Amino acid sequence: MFFGSKKKLDDLMAQLRPDLSRESLGVGPAFPGIAPNPLLSRDAWKRNAELRTGALALGVLVDWREVSSDGSPRVVLMLDVETAGGISFRGIADEDLTITELTRLAPGQTLPVRYRPAVMDHYVALARDANPGQVRRLSEEIASRKRT
């Protein structure tokens, strides 16, 4: 049955929105994909709850895609993420932004994000809760590692 197959759903999503395909987002075949409606996806709910308490990292905004504009815009952000431990990866954040936040997005912008170190599936979330002191310390730690 069609709806019983996650692979077929991922393939359908890539056909409907080629700009959200794994290749377009710059992630590998292990990336689970973008949920058509994260509010109806049990996996997305669980992932988002885990990301809220995930480890802090810094992401440099590469690009974004607007998924829907119903109410507040839903946007998929592509970020090059660097962790405190020196791991770098392409992170994908599926976020609801305000119009003001959307207009402030600029490639090259550094944003604090949270990720799940135990999973490492490319999903990240904007760390809206991170205090500036935490972000500054993390930024200094990453910068000092790059200098050595």
Side-chain angles (χ1 to χ4, degrees), residues 1-6:
M1 175 171 201
F2 174 75
F3 289 108
S5 171
K6 177 147 176 45

Side-chain angles (χ1 to χ4, degrees), residues 84-147:
I87 298 170
S88 298
F89 63 96
R90 170 63 52 92
I92 304 297
D94 189 343
E95 299 282 342
D96 289 325
L97 301 178
T98 66
I99 296 295
T100 303
E101 290 171 321
L102 186 61
T103 60
R104 291 182 180 160
L105 290 178
Q109 181 177 12
T110 299
L111 302 165
V113 297
R114 296 206 177 273
Y115 72 104
R116 301 177 297 170
V119 180
M120 295 303 290
D121 61 357
H122 296 281
Y123 281 113
V124 299
L126 294 179
R128 298 170 192 262
D129 65 325
N131 72 51
Q134 281 179 302
V135 175
R136 187 173 38 260
R137 282 190 297 280
L138 177 60
S139 181
E140 290 168 357
E141 184 179 333
I142 290 171
S144 71
R145 189 178 56 248
K146 287 182 177 182
R147 282 191 297 265

Side-chain angles (χ1 to χ4, degrees), residues 40-78:
L40 299 177
S41 167
R42 185 176 325 138
D43 291 338
W45 273 96
K46 181 180 176 214
R47 177 182 64 243
N48 290 338
E50 291 172 355
L51 284 169
R52 280 193 290 277
T53 61
L56 189 63
L58 293 179
V60 176
L61 184 62
V62 175
D63 200 0
W64 66 92
R65 310 272 193 274
E66 191 168 342
V67 179
S68 70
S69 56
D70 303 336
S72 59
R74 179 175 165 219
V75 179
V76 172
L77 306 170
M78 291 164 282

Side-chain angles (χ1 to χ4, degrees), residues 6 10 13 20 22 25 30-35 47 94 121 123:
K6 177 147 176 45
D10 290 342
M13 193 64 182
L20 296 177
R22 289 173 177 86
L25 296 173
F31 180 62
I34 304 297
R47 177 182 64 243
D94 189 343
D121 61 357
Y123 281 113

